[in-house]
Amino acid sequence: MIKLQAGYGRKVPSAQEYSSENFHASVEIELPDSEAPRIKERLDALWGTVVLAVDAQIAHVNEG
C-alpha cells in the first residue's frame, strides 16, 4: 500500500491591523501498489484539490 499526503496553507491579512488569518487543508489517501506508476499524476491531483479547498475557504470568508 502506498500512502500519499498533501497539505497546503495560506496566511492572509485580516481586518484588524497587525493580524492575519490562517487557512489550511490536508488530505491523505492510500493507493494499491499497482498504482505506483501513476504516483505523480495522483499526487498532482491531490495537491490541486487541497489548493482549491483553501482558496474556497478564503473566498467564503471574504464574501461575508
Side-chain angles (χ1 to χ4, degrees):
M1 199 54 86
I2 300 167
K3 188 181 290 188
L4 296 179
Q5 298 175 328
Y8 177 74
R10 282 186 54 197
K11 185 182 283 192
V12 296
S14 77
Q16 293 182 350
E17 192 172 3
Y18 304 112
S19 65
S20 61
E21 294 186 59
N22 294 302
F23 298 88
H24 181 81
S26 62
V27 66
E28 178 180 299
I29 63 170
E30 290 184 354
L31 303 174
D33 292 334
S34 62
E35 291 283 312
R38 297 182 57 214
I39 287 178
K40 177 156 177 20
E41 176 185 336
R42 296 294 301 266
L43 190 55
D44 288 346
L46 198 57
W47 175 256
T49 300
V50 294
V51 170
L52 288 175
V54 169
D55 290 346
Q57 287 178 349
I58 293 169
H60 179 72
V61 168
N62 288 337
E63 289 174 358

